[in-house]
């Protein structure tokens, strides 16, 4: 199962440890294209996509499109203590 993490290009703090460990952490150049990046990851068989809270605010599709899909999980990392799964 492929897992990816998305963060804004200028966000050096989100998922820093995961990136240093070699996990698939993607810096999104243009936050307005967040939905496009998510769709590309889904097409490349990523089943779990974790977005920083900042990136989630730029996506209009994550809740409506992926809420009822059993094979794709979108996780919004709001902070260390709060995660929402859609």
């Amino acid at each position: 199962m492929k897992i990816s993490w998305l963060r804004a290009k200028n966000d050096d703090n989100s998922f820093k440890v995961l990136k240093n460990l070699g996990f698939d952490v993607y810096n999104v150049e243009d936050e307005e294209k967040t939905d496009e990046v998510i769709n590309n990851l889904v097409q490349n068989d990523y089943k779990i996509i974790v977005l920083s809270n900042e990136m989630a605010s730029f996506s209009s599709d994550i809740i409506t499109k992926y809420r009822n899909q059993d094979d794709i999980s979108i996780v919004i990392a709001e902070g260390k203590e709060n995660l929402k799964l859609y």
Side-chain angles (χ1 to χ4, degrees):
M1 176 181 322
K2 292 171 77 173
I3 302 171
S4 66
W5 290 265
L6 296 180
R7 66 183 187 181
K9 176 182 142 183
N10 60 353
D11 181 359
D12 293 329
N13 294 321
S14 296
F15 317 126
K16 185 176 182 177
V17 171
L18 295 168
K19 184 172 179 90
N20 290 339
L21 291 173
F23 288 96
D24 295 337
V25 177
Y26 296 98
N27 294 327
V28 179
E29 299 289 324
D30 181 0
E31 291 92 349
E32 297 295 328
K33 295 187 179 190
T34 300
D35 287 330
E36 189 177 311
V37 173
I38 291 171
N39 288 329
N40 287 336
L41 290 169
V42 169
Q43 288 177 1
N44 285 303
D45 294 325
Y46 283 89
K47 301 298 181 191
I48 299 174
I49 301 169
V50 183
L51 295 106
S52 66
N53 191 36
E54 178 184 0
M55 293 304 301
S57 67
F58 287 98
S59 177
S60 60
D61 282 350
I62 57 172
I63 295 173
T64 56
K65 188 172 184 178
Y66 297 108
R67 176 183 297 229
N68 296 320
Q69 289 191 9
D70 292 334
D71 61 335
I72 305 293
S73 293
I74 305 291
V75 178
I76 301 170
E78 292 188 10
K80 292 180 181 178
E81 65 282 342
N82 297 323
L83 291 178
K84 289 185 180 179
L85 182 61
Y86 292 100

